[in-house]
Amino acid sequence: MVRTPARAWVVLALGVLAQTAGTLVVTAPALLIPYLHANGLSLAQAGLLASAPTAGMVLTLIAWGAVTDRIGERVVIAGGLVLTTLAVAGAWLAGDDTVLLGVAFLAAGMTSASTNAASGRVVVGWFPKERRGLAMGIRQMSQPLGVTLAAVTVPQLAEASGIRSALVLPVLLCAVLAVACAFGIADPPRPTRKRSPTAGTSNPTNVTSTTGGTPNPYRASGFLWRIHAVSILLVVPQFTLSTYGLVWLVTLGWSTSAAGLLVGAAQFVGAIGRILVGSWSDHVGSRVGPLRVVAVSATVVMAVLALVDVAHLPAAAVVLVVATSVTVADNGLAYTSVAEAAGPSWSGRALGAQNTGQFIAASAVGPGIGALVGLVGFAGSFLLVAALPVLALPLVPRADRSHD
């Protein structure tokens, strides 16, 4: 087994923290839904405001990935966090003005997207293939950890003191991590520039960049397109629970603070699950095999949630924790698969495309599921969402592809 340099683990830790901060920023608006709804917005309107950060991410993810491919991870992560700090500070200034708040949340999503493509690319660059499942599983902890942090702080602070108090932690965390990442992250070694295969030349300076000398992986096969499509379908159950899990519990009679703590605990369990699933994929030497199992499991747990709601079963807390853990488990598998198939010269853009597809779907979850709950209730909504992983199953490729 290839030895993993110690610096890789430092970079991984900073990457996790950076994206945790970004996830906190993106998730906070969703956890303001109970506050916004109690202050006059409909559930669909509050969901639309909550989707502003994910819509912002959609606009910039591929661009951030391309910038990362060109100038490196450190500048993108640290610089992106500086911009995110400014955007969240703008949301703090907007206060209860929903229009300005929506614009600031949109800007925060656009800037925080920097941590997604860059932090994933830095993992692929620093870790050997046989450790990437574990490393990417650890990196993918950042999303549930960010949701956990948001769940245990945002609803309670908003309910007690308003929106501004709920945004203080995101501002401070992004500012501190911008400095830490600027000094602590090192760009991974890049592949040696290749000589041009042009015949009839002996000029040693006639070289092409790794990007220019590497075939476009999207043209080589449909593998990346299929993984992107699978991830779009599987992200809907994940964001349904992270956006409306707290609201669902409140409708069952839970207090906002108790529901927030449970959602946070569920996300933390999901973070551990991502590490285990990533390690499992390293052990079996496959990303797509475990991905298929996760898709089946996601259908089952969403159907069980629907049953719990319609039958008023007392197991809501346990089932929500299990469902949250299962529905977040696919991200690391798909992310690692995309990075390996794309190769080092294309991974930034491919990971940007991966996240773009996911966040397009995630942006629709806020207003879409909010409206759906108004029409068919939570049980009907959970059951309809359970059908999406079934649609994803035939799209999962039969075998992995790797550029290594």
Side-chain angles (χ1 to χ4, degrees):
M1 179 177 291
V2 179
R3 181 179 176 273
T4 305
R7 186 60 181 269
W9 296 104
V10 174
V11 171
L12 174 59
L14 287 171
V16 168
L17 292 173
Q19 197 176 344
T20 297
T23 301
L24 170 61
V25 169
V26 172
T27 306
L31 293 164
L32 289 171
I33 289 177
Y35 173 86
L36 296 168
H37 188 43
N39 283 273
L41 294 185
S42 70
L43 200 57
Q45 289 172 326
L48 181 62
L49 185 63
S51 70
T54 53
M57 296 184 80
V58 167
L59 298 175
T60 58
L61 274 164
I62 294 178
W64 279 120
V67 172
T68 304
D69 283 338
R70 181 172 292 274
I71 68 173
E73 293 80 356
R74 183 177 67 86
V75 173
V76 168
I77 293 175
L81 284 172
V82 170
L83 295 175
T84 303
T85 302
L86 296 175
V88 181
W92 185 90
L93 291 172
D96 290 321
D97 186 320
T98 54
V99 174
L100 293 179
L101 197 61
V103 172
F105 284 156
L106 181 72
M110 294 173 69
T111 56
S112 66
S114 60
T115 62
N116 284 66
S119 64
R121 195 185 189 287
V122 82
V123 169
V124 175
W126 274 111
F127 284 84
K129 183 177 180 179
E130 59 270 21
R131 284 290 186 93
R132 283 184 195 150
L134 172 62
M136 196 66 83
I138 294 172
R139 182 263 183 190
Q140 290 296 101
M141 285 178 63
S142 56
Q143 195 274 339
L145 286 177
V147 176
T148 298
L149 189 57
V152 300
T153 59
V154 172
Q156 296 86 341
L157 290 171
E159 188 175 47
S161 307
I163 289 176
R164 282 180 171 163
S165 66
L167 297 177
V168 171
L169 178 61
V171 171
L172 294 177
L173 191 60
C174 288
V176 170
L177 285 171
V179 176
C181 291
F183 287 98
I185 286 182
D187 293 342
R190 299 228 172 185
T192 304
R193 290 164 63 91
K194 299 177 182 179
R195 295 193 176 189
S196 171
T198 303
T201 179
S202 59
N203 181 1
T205 63
N206 186 9
V207 297
T208 59
S209 68
T210 55
T211 299
T214 303
N216 185 335
Y218 286 96
R219 296 176 181 173
S221 75
F223 182 89
L224 288 172
W225 294 110
R226 293 178 70 173
I227 294 294
H228 292 336
V230 168
S231 297
I232 288 171
L233 292 168
L234 293 183
V235 83
V236 175
Q238 174 188 328
F239 271 81
T240 295
L241 297 184
S242 65
T243 303
Y244 286 103
L246 183 143
V247 181
W248 178 58
L249 290 172
V250 170
T251 65
L252 296 179
W254 288 59
S255 69
T256 300
S257 64
L261 290 172
L262 180 65
V263 169
Q267 291 290 333
F268 182 77
V269 173
I272 302 301
R274 286 186 174 191
I275 296 177
L276 297 177
V277 169
S279 182
W280 172 33
S281 75
D282 285 338
H283 179 71
V284 300
S286 173
R287 316 300 180 199
V288 296
L291 185 60
R292 194 173 291 109
V293 174
V294 169
V296 173
S297 302
T299 290
V300 173
V301 295
M302 292 305 299
V304 172
L305 269 178
L307 178 62
V308 168
D309 184 76
V310 76
H312 304 290
L313 299 177
V318 174
V319 176
L320 182 63
V321 171
V322 173
T324 298
S325 302
V326 169
T327 56
V328 302
D330 64 283
N331 285 60
L333 297 171
Y335 216 71
T336 309
S337 187
V338 165
E340 290 178 341
S345 296
W346 281 85
S347 59
R349 280 160 289 184
L351 293 173
Q354 167 76 2
N355 278 321
T356 297
Q358 287 186 300
F359 282 111
I360 287 174
S363 297
V365 166
I369 299 299
L372 193 61
V373 169
L375 291 173
V376 300
F378 276 105
S381 300
F382 290 155
L383 200 57
L384 288 171
V385 170
L388 298 181
V390 176
L391 298 177
L393 274 174
L395 297 175
V396 178
R398 293 181 178 275
D400 296 278
R401 288 180 66 89
S402 178
H403 195 274
D404 290 345

